[in-house]
Amino acid sequence: MDNVNLSINRLSGQEIYQIISNNIQKVMKGQSIAIRKLLSAFASGGHVLLEDYPGTGKTTLAKALAFSIDVSFKRIQFTPDLLPSDILGISILEPSDRTFHFHEGPIFAHIVLADEINRASPRTQSALLEAMAEFQVSIDGNVRKLKEPFFVIATQNPVESRGTYPLPEAQMDRFALQFSLGYISPEDEVNLLSDQIQQHPIDTLQPCVDLQDLISLKQQIKQVRISEELKRYLVDIVNATRSAEGVQLGASPRASLALMKIAQALALFDGYEFVTPEHIQELAVAVIAHRLVMEPQARFSGRTATGVVEEILKSLPVPT
């Protein structure tokens, strides 16, 4: 454990967040907003889908988070020939005692990186559905609980279609957040080049917090207050997507839950004891847009899910 770690009795949720964020920024230059979103989902119990162009640092960000926390981490490279058993595990007959012994798959880790998730078949993708929603897997008629905390961070390329499969709506709904990293500024890119002249900085990244710090952070998030007015405000935002023009399938109540929990995390990170409208507005697009299914005619006319959520935010009155 790196010497930056302190006792959980002395750390507030804001301090724990700042320690992890600073550690990740040793590797990820100019991505403070993406790190903030990632940690808010992670700390609140949601999963994240990173969708961006190759080379923007999606996998590096996931690994930097995993290496910053003293918990188990597994990476799964999704390919067309990947099978559900490659993710969940398999029972193998042991000749010595003539019984089947279960060998755990990579899903049995605290942090799981599903790299290029849309390259696997729908059959394989479905292996994640129960795990992401219920934190358990059903194998050979037995229900096996996953580690706590359990966090899936998946990546996909938005422009490549050859050899890929679109994620089904049920899968998309299980991701609390979807966002992109984007290209960094020229100044940050120069710093990135300088940092990697000798070796990649992720090779020297050390854990800065442990599992107990993470448990403390999660408990503190639950104590952040959200008023009844703000609960209604975020529900109105989600509900408006179900009747919005051009939307075939609106956001589910799972979106409302994710928006509330992640807003609580952001409020804690900012040192607040309560959620503000700004926290909800900051997250609304990342939490809701990827869950919407647009009508074909709306897509052809250039209407997007992101635009729908932004229009709703502008039209709804903000609680005072």
Side-chain angles (χ1 to χ4, degrees):
M1 179 67 62
D2 193 77
N3 58 11
V4 72
N5 187 35
L6 303 173
S7 167
I8 61 173
N9 294 325
R10 295 164 50 196
L11 288 177
S12 67
Q14 186 181 30
E15 290 169 332
I16 296 173
Y17 157 72
Q18 201 61 57
I19 289 173
I20 302 174
S21 177
N22 291 341
N23 206 50
I24 295 175
Q25 289 185 61
K26 295 177 183 177
V27 177
M28 299 297 300
K29 304 296 185 183
Q31 295 289 2
S32 58
I33 295 177
I35 293 171
R36 174 177 166 88
K37 289 180 179 178
L38 177 68
L39 290 180
S40 64
F42 175 59
S44 61
H47 309 290
V48 168
L49 176 61
L50 297 177
E51 184 178 74
D52 213 329
Y53 304 116
T56 51
K58 301 184 297 295
T59 301
T60 302
L61 176 59
K63 292 171 68 175
L65 169 65
F67 294 167
S68 295
I69 304 170
D70 193 19
V71 294
S72 58
F73 167 67
K74 295 292 184 181
R75 175 181 177 178
I76 308 171
Q77 183 64 54
F78 278 62
T79 57
D81 60 348
L82 190 73
L83 298 175
S85 58
D86 296 327
I87 298 173
L88 305 180
I90 190 170
S91 294
I92 299 177
L93 179 64
E94 295 290 345
S96 58
D97 57 8
R98 296 183 179 181
T99 59
F100 285 91
H101 293 264
F102 180 70
H103 294 256
E104 294 182 348
I107 199 72
F108 289 90
H110 289 108
I111 299 177
V112 176
L113 168 58
D115 217 358
E116 295 184 288
I117 188 173
N118 57 333
R119 288 193 175 278
S121 67
R123 177 191 176 195
T124 301
Q125 291 178 19
S126 66
L128 292 173
L129 295 179
E130 182 182 10
M132 294 175 65
E134 303 173 48
F135 303 100
Q136 66 181 35
V137 293
S138 300
I139 305 172
D140 298 332
N142 298 315
V143 175
R144 301 177 186 272
K145 295 292 184 182
L146 299 175
K147 296 178 183 291
E148 284 285 348
F150 173 69
F151 177 64
V152 173
I153 176 170
T155 69
Q156 68 175 5
N157 180 352
V159 294
E160 191 173 24
S161 59
R162 181 177 298 177
T164 62
Y165 302 84
L167 297 185
E169 289 76 13
Q171 181 78 64
M172 295 296 286
D173 197 38
R174 281 161 169 77
F175 286 106
L177 283 182
Q178 178 187 350
F179 59 91
S180 302
L181 301 182
Y183 293 116
I184 56 179
S185 68
E187 292 76 16
D188 287 322
E189 196 163 346
V190 170
N191 292 332
L192 182 148
L193 298 180
S194 301
D195 289 345
Q196 296 190 31
I197 289 178
Q198 299 297 330
Q199 64 178 346
H200 201 296
I202 202 168
D203 295 334
T204 59
L205 202 65
Q206 295 294 319
C208 59
V209 298
D210 59 19
L211 185 57
Q212 292 304 313
D213 294 318
L214 192 55
I215 292 173
S216 173
L217 178 60
K218 287 177 171 291
Q219 290 300 321
Q220 292 181 56
I221 288 174
K222 293 178 182 179
Q223 305 306 314
V224 175
R225 302 189 304 274
I226 178 168
S227 68
E228 292 301 317
E229 291 81 5
L230 281 187
K231 289 179 187 176
R232 184 55 191 259
Y233 176 57
L234 70 83
V235 167
D236 286 345
I237 294 172
V238 174
N239 185 64
T241 66
R242 300 165 191 165
S243 58
E245 182 183 354
V247 176
Q248 181 177 335
L249 179 64
S252 69
R254 185 181 279 145
S256 301
L257 281 169
L259 186 54
M260 180 186 72
K261 292 180 178 180
I262 302 177
Q264 287 177 294
L266 278 192
L268 183 69
F269 295 168
D270 291 339
Y272 288 83
E273 296 181 352
F274 51 87
V275 175
T276 69
E278 289 74 22
H279 293 126
I280 294 173
Q281 293 165 348
E282 179 181 347
L283 293 164
V285 170
V287 171
I288 300 173
H290 67 280
R291 305 171 193 268
L292 306 184
V293 177
M294 303 299 295
E295 294 176 351
Q297 189 62 38
R299 292 200 308 270
F300 296 148
S301 64
R303 191 164 172 77
T304 64
T306 296
V308 168
V309 179
E310 290 175 343
E311 289 173 7
I312 291 171
L313 291 174
K314 292 177 182 177
S315 64
L316 288 179
V318 180
T320 55

